[in-house]
Amino acid sequence: MRKETQKILLLSVLGLVSINLTAQQKVKKDSVKVIDEVVVTALGIKRHDKSLGYVAEKVGAEEFEKTQNNNWAQALEGKVAGLKILTAGAGPLGSAHITLRGAQSMNPANNRALIVLDGVPLGGTDTGTGNSAYAAGSGGDLPVDFGNNFNSINPDDIESVTILKGATASALYGERGSAGAIMITTKSGKNKKGGIRVTFNSNTSFDTVLRWPDYQYEYGQGTLTKDKNGKFYYSYGASPDGVNTGGTSSAFGPKFDGQSYFQYDPTTETQSAERKLWRPYKNNIKDFWGVGTTYANTVGIESSNDKTAFRTSLSYVKNNWMMPNTGFDRFNYALSIDHKLTSKLRLVSKFAYNQTKSDNLPATGYNNQSISYFMIFQNPNVDLDWYRPIWKSGKDQIDQIHPFSSYIDNPFLIAYEMLNGINKKFITGNITATYNVTPNFDIMLRSGIEITDEERTTKRPWSSANYQQGYYREQYIKNTEYNTDVLFTWHKSFGKFNLNTSAGANVRNNKYVQNDYRAIGLRVPGLYQLTNAMFLNSKFPQPYDKATNSIYGLANFNYDNLWFVDVTARNDWSSSLPKENRSYFYPSVSSSLVLSDILGLTSGKFNLWKLRGSWARVGIGTIPYNLTQYFNSSDFVGSAEVTSTYMNPNLRPEMSTNIEAGMDFSLLKNRITYGITLYQSNSKDQIVRVPTMIETGYSSRWINSGEVRNRGIEMTLGLNPVRTKDFSWNINANWSMNRNKILSLAEEFRGEPYTMGSIGGVVFFNAVVGGSLGDMYGFKLKRSPDDQVVYGSDGLTAKPSQVEKIGNVYPKWRAGIQNMFRYKNISLSLSFDGQLGGFAYSQSHHKMSEQGKLTNTLMGRDNPSGTIIGDGVVQNADGSYSPNTKPVALNTYYADYYRRANVETNSFNTSFIKLREANIMFQFPSQMVKNLKMSELSVGLFGRNLWVWTKFPLFDPEVATLEDNNITAGVEVGQLPTARTVGIQLNAKF
């Protein structure tokens, strides 16, 4: 090409990356001036990143392929500024809620990002068991993590994920896009070589427990009881040594010092005939947990030419989790066809079938049938093997072995008899037709469907603490959502001025129904059938339907590829709001300015300087059936009951106004990239449930009230310190800070806090004007003016009369950094992330400290009197303070200091640093691969959650509680251990 014919050539690499080169340049890496990625934006429209006035971060397929995980979303953790994956630590399926840029609504469901699969939003409703995480003494059941719909997606089918942050980026999705959107694009089969290609991905991974609490194994079971000689002793049942001390769950017994006592004999299931060595069993909790295994294999076939692209894949995952007899099987099938029928008409269709089956998933929370409950109550002197037979001799399926307390279920009974089964079919499909009426005018019609068909079973045997005569439950859940869009697009260039306009409409219909049958008591032990019920509770089907009709439009203005302006508008009509308020309008405007081109700064050193800004207003509706009174299913067969909440026929949508500004830099041929974003949103008319006078016949009512302001900063940095033919080093880092403030509340509160939620009746999330979402309240220690703990005359901590703010569950900031090294055919990647600040309350820490199970309760144990004096002061009659001198029994002191209601002593800073991912991959030389008649072959080792630094005392600082179908951050109630994963993978292409 000649110099005088200099033009900009656009080289498209698989439709994902475009590279601007002048015609006379040679195509070399070092000649690259600007890399302008193509990203998927709202409605599935592909746009160049530099034209966007908002943030759209893209994560490629390699991130999901190189570190396999049961939930693809967790591969995003630490790699996207402002993104947080919230999981409850509740088992292998790992339900996750994704939030972008923190919380902006008092309703937690409104803070979740929308998941969009191939242009169609996923609207599946998460269904819980209807149970609370803290259920001790309730006689009921517990939550079970049955998994989200979107975590059923096969990571090997994902081509890219684009994260649309802020309301401007996702305003075209209406109310469900108010908190941003995660745009998933699956593979289509397009490849630059054409022809048929077969891919095979296989990985095997192993899970072990990442981190344990600091259990103490110096003292055993007991309550400081002394024998006739005045020495502490232990006796399982009454014996010549003294009364029974073996019925307690506390570990304030004798020190392990070589002595012998009458203990439990597993052979006779009674007291031992002779005294046995008093010894600790240091692995009597850890040995219950094994090595989990996951085997995953995916085969894909794809082909493409100038008219057609085709891909189909089959995947099978077999998981045996760390807890015995738990895990799942998952089958995935995907089909994609992209065909140009004529020069004007193009059809694209995608279909996916996902089935997840499990005979048993673990229950989570604090109740008898949770394995967490057993771990809390297990004593240091009790051998785990004593429980293994499960049933007492001659009493199979009738009476379990739980020799120390009838309230503590046998752990192997929990694992092998208390079963939570699932068979879930998740189907998604869409078809898109695009017709080019003229070179400047297109029509797109897209229709998508999402179907969830789920069957669940719950089995509880005879003799379980909460179901002495057994229990069986069947749930049938059907959720179907239809989405249909029509979009008209017209584009025209007027010299240097380019215009692209679109207008369209959407019809969305969601239908949900659940059938629930419960057998209360089993006539024949171990026979789990509804026909075997002593009493059958059958609730009539309860629908939960919603429909939304929408129209929308967008216009993109572009002047000489230097200045871009986007304007969007959408109007929704929602069935969940009253007629006069059901129509609400979402406008947005955004702009980007490429200053580097305008000012002529583009050179070998300075590649890109872009300014961007945006404004948007979005509305958020409410859940179905909040307008008029209706009847709920009752536990009495054939009857119904009125809801306890008074409905509001005049509800208005919650409205949120968002502004955002930022800039992006690229230097030294893209070896240094930097981006910064500042944002603010104000959400008004929050839809909240407030208490009401009990005389009305209702306990609460729905109102519109309150305003929340959410602000934050995000920064990203990319470095390429070394780039040679054989070696390269790339660094990607991100940092984000988010703050929110409650600006107003309803007049009904008259200065009192609004309790948005509570866990266990001790931790309260209160909204106070001037406070923040995530503020955690509870009882604290009373302190003197010089900050010493105040004790009462009984030697125990003085009790405050009012709850106080403990801290905020959200951190001051989050950050992540990824290092990627390549030397010839070997690549190594390390991903770290962490946070500073944040608080979490731990129910497990309370109970294990109360019972003397943790090392923090060893202080004072060597005192012969078995007492301790609390470090602090007492208040004198004249108001002055003097040192506390009152001794208190050790078990009484620790039970009081770490009591459940003392949120302060059981809450901890959740700052952490994690080695989130590590991966080393070897790419076989091309000639060797050719000889094997293959196109690519690689093998690698990967790891996840390999190491963590934190002062949080339990399993994982990233704690959250599964409460029915909600995940509540900042509270740990019966958390299950977090897995450390290592594995090997093989990727081959033919």
Side-chain angles (χ1 to χ4, degrees), residues 18 41 145 149 158 254 309 329-330 415 510 544 606 685 726 740 751 886 925:
S18 59
T41 62
D145 187 351
N149 274 351
I158 296 176
D329 295 85
R330 179 178 291 149
N510 184 275
Y544 198 73
F606 201 108
D685 279 345
D726 291 334
N740 64 68
K886 177 72 174 179

Side-chain angles (χ1 to χ4, degrees), residues 23 32 228 253 327 370 427 438 548 566 665 742 792 799 804 851 942:
V32 174
K228 58 186 176 182
S370 161
I427 300 170
T438 71
T548 305
D566 288 1
F665 292 96
I742 299 168
K799 306 301 183 290
E804 300 177 64
Q851 297 178 353
F942 64 89

Side-chain angles (χ1 to χ4, degrees), residues 306-307 339-347 434-439 441-442:
D306 58 345
K307 286 188 176 182
H339 180 60
K340 207 169 183 182
L341 274 75
T342 69
S343 60
K344 292 180 175 290
L345 180 61
R346 178 186 175 198
L347 288 179
T434 306
Y435 187 75
N436 304 113
V437 181
T438 71
F441 182 56
D442 303 332

Side-chain angles (χ1 to χ4, degrees), residues 51 496-500 556-565:
S51 70
K496 293 184 177 181
F497 186 79
N498 302 295
L499 175 64
N500 191 313
N556 315 130
F557 305 92
N558 166 8
Y559 178 74
D560 199 23
N561 286 326
L562 302 175
W563 181 35
F564 303 87
V565 177

Side-chain angles (χ1 to χ4, degrees), residues 58-78:
K58 182 178 175 180
V59 179
E62 64 278 358
E63 293 297 330
F64 305 101
E65 293 174 354
K66 71 183 183 182
T67 306
Q68 295 290 325
N69 197 281
N70 293 339
N71 186 341
W72 64 267
Q74 292 179 9
L76 301 174
E77 191 74 83

Side-chain angles (χ1 to χ4, degrees), residues 454-624:
E454 192 169 348
E455 300 174 11
R456 298 176 180 176
T457 57
T458 302
K459 300 177 181 179
R460 301 291 179 257
W462 273 44
S463 181
S464 57
N466 288 350
Y467 301 103
Q468 286 292 307
Q469 292 181 299
Y471 171 84
Y472 177 60
R473 180 183 186 185
E474 291 183 4
Q475 286 176 281
Y476 298 92
I477 301 159
K478 185 71 174 285
N479 185 79
T480 306
E481 177 157 314
Y482 304 91
N483 258 291
T484 300
D485 288 271
V486 60
L487 187 68
F488 302 92
T489 301
W490 180 78
H491 50 91
K492 181 71 174 177
S493 295
F494 305 93
K496 293 184 177 181
F497 186 79
N498 302 295
L499 175 64
N500 191 313
T501 61
S502 298
N506 171 265
V507 176
R508 173 167 66 95
N509 199 306
N510 184 275
K511 294 183 178 295
Y512 173 95
V513 68
Q514 178 186 170
N515 290 275
D516 199 341
Y517 310 96
R518 308 184 192 197
I520 313 298
L522 304 176
R523 297 179 185 275
V524 179
L527 180 60
Y528 296 99
Q529 295 178 359
L530 295 175
T531 54
N532 188 38
M534 292 181 179
F535 174 76
L536 182 63
N537 183 338
S538 300
K539 293 189 176 182
F540 57 79
Q542 192 163 328
Y544 198 73
D545 301 343
K546 184 175 180 178
T548 305
N549 296 330
S550 311
I551 59 173
Y552 46 75
L554 60 153
N556 315 130
F557 305 92
N558 166 8
Y559 178 74
D560 199 23
N561 286 326
L562 302 175
W563 181 35
F564 303 87
V565 177
D566 288 1
V567 179
T568 75
R570 175 171 172 139
N571 201 94
D572 280 357
W573 289 266
S574 173
S575 67
S576 66
L577 289 169
K579 185 175 181 180
E580 58 272 20
N581 293 334
R582 67 177 46 158
S583 172
Y584 40 111
F585 181 62
Y586 316 88
S588 83
V589 60
S590 63
S591 180
S592 67
L593 202 61
V594 186
L595 287 179
S596 52
D597 289 347
I598 293 173
L599 301 177
L601 300 176
T602 306
S603 66
K605 294 183 178 179
F606 201 108
N607 309 129
L608 175 69
W609 180 18
K610 171 184 140 181
L611 299 182
R612 47 185 162 78
S614 66
W615 174 93
R617 187 180 67 191
V618 296
I620 308 171
T622 184
I623 59 177

